[in-house]
Amino acid sequence: MLKPKIVFSVFILFLLAGCNVLGQKDISEMDPAELPDVIAFQDDFTREFMSSLEEVEDGYYLFESKTGGYTMMYPENATMNQTYYQKNKDTFETIQFGHSNENAEIPFYVRATYDKNKDTKNTDIYLDLLSSSISYEGEFEQLEYTDKDIYFGTMKHVTELEDLSEKSSTYRFFGFIQSKNNDQAVRYTLNVLCDDEEIGCDYDLDSIENGVKKVMESIEFN
């Protein structure tokens, strides 16, 4: 027969466990009125990726991949594009999110691809994949951390519009984030749009670069 103290302890543990389950209500199922008044939570699809109601840094919340493979900082007013979303079990996922020209001082979009397989240890293959996807022919800066390596690059891409009378430009900040502890990696590209190449856009590119690196540094593989 269990002693009264043991029974009481078991009861308390059960009660705490129940409270914890209630406290971890799925954010995607919550009433938007209960959530932060930012796009990351007010957009139906985007909030499916938000794992906490607490800011990780001013203007950023915590994104969690639906593969369960990684988390990273996510800008509060960026919309996740459901059209470009792809996922294969827990080994592959592609996302796209950003600000359009209509609702942002600096219009941008991000494409990030997560891979989980032994090939991610072959750095050259994935750097080639990243370079070919954005027509980049330069070298990468290597940033080394305790748990990951980041291979980082930047470029400017100019596009002629259909009537050939105007040009637009895209500033690209991109990297390959490679786990040191397992077979996981993310290819990440942020594209900043400038509609008129002739006039130009008054962007603080150094600040944008630092911001992109900070997001890449925030990636944690599970």
Side-chain angles (χ1 to χ4, degrees):
M1 183 175 178
L2 290 174
K3 294 181 179 180
K5 286 185 178 180
I6 296 176
V7 173
F8 181 72
S9 298
V10 171
F11 173 75
I12 292 298
L13 289 171
F14 177 78
L15 182 62
L16 290 173
C19 291
N20 189 49
V21 169
L22 291 174
Q24 292 180 355
K25 183 179 179 182
D26 191 338
I27 290 174
S28 65
E29 296 176 357
M30 293 177 67
D31 185 335
E34 302 176 75
L35 300 171
D37 188 22
V38 294
I39 290 174
F41 290 95
Q42 296 304 312
D43 178 75
D44 290 345
F45 184 61
T46 305
R47 71 168 166 267
E48 293 180 13
F49 297 85
M50 298 298 107
S51 67
S52 172
L53 300 181
E54 300 297 323
E55 284 183 300
V56 292
E57 190 170 305
D58 187 29
Y60 289 88
Y61 288 87
L62 189 65
F63 161 98
E64 183 171 14
S65 164
K66 288 188 177 183
T67 64
Y70 74 103
T71 60
M72 70 177 176
M73 288 169 44
Y74 184 94
E76 63 182 9
N77 286 318
T79 306
M80 190 74 66
N81 192 321
Q82 191 168 4
T83 302
Y84 291 95
Y85 182 74
Q86 297 179 29
K87 177 177 173 291
N88 182 18
K89 300 179 181 179
D90 66 346
T91 60
F92 175 85
E93 182 184 54
T94 295
I95 61 172
Q96 179 170 309
F97 61 87
H99 290 306
S100 68
N101 291 28
E102 297 176 356
N103 63 10
E105 182 179 346
I106 301 179
F108 76 90
Y109 68 93
V110 169
R111 286 181 179 165
T113 300
Y114 167 79
D115 291 284
K116 180 183 178 183
N117 61 67
K118 293 181 180 179
D119 288 345
T120 60
K121 294 301 183 185
N122 193 324
T123 307
D124 290 340
I125 287 179
Y126 279 84
L127 291 182
D128 285 345
L129 283 172
L130 178 57
S131 296
S132 62
S133 70
I134 55 175
S135 301
Y136 178 64
E137 298 179 353
E139 299 295 322
F140 287 84
E141 171 190 6
Q142 183 175 357
L143 309 171
E144 188 168 354
Y145 301 87
T146 303
D147 60 336
K148 58 183 169 279
D149 288 318
I150 298 175
Y151 298 85
F152 184 81
T154 66
M155 66 176 291
K156 179 181 178 181
H157 177 74
V158 178
T159 303
E160 291 189 354
L161 303 182
E162 291 183 2
D163 61 6
L164 303 181
S165 62
E166 295 182 1
K167 297 179 180 180
S168 65
S169 56
T170 303
Y171 297 94
R172 290 175 173 154
F173 305 83
F174 46 91
F176 174 59
I177 303 93
Q178 181 184 55
S179 172
K180 287 184 175 180
N181 302 320
N182 47 50
D183 299 327
Q184 294 172 287
V186 171
R187 284 167 281 156
Y188 184 101
T189 303
L190 181 137
N191 302 272
V192 176
L193 311 176
C194 182
D195 284 339
D196 195 328
E197 170 67 12
E198 293 294 328
I199 298 176
C201 296
D202 188 21
Y203 296 150
D204 184 345
L205 298 178
D206 288 337
S207 177
I208 294 171
E209 178 175 331
N210 290 334
V212 174
K213 285 181 175 178
K214 182 179 291 188
V215 171
M216 291 182 181
E217 290 166 5
S218 77
I219 290 178
E220 293 187 7
F221 296 101
N222 298 325

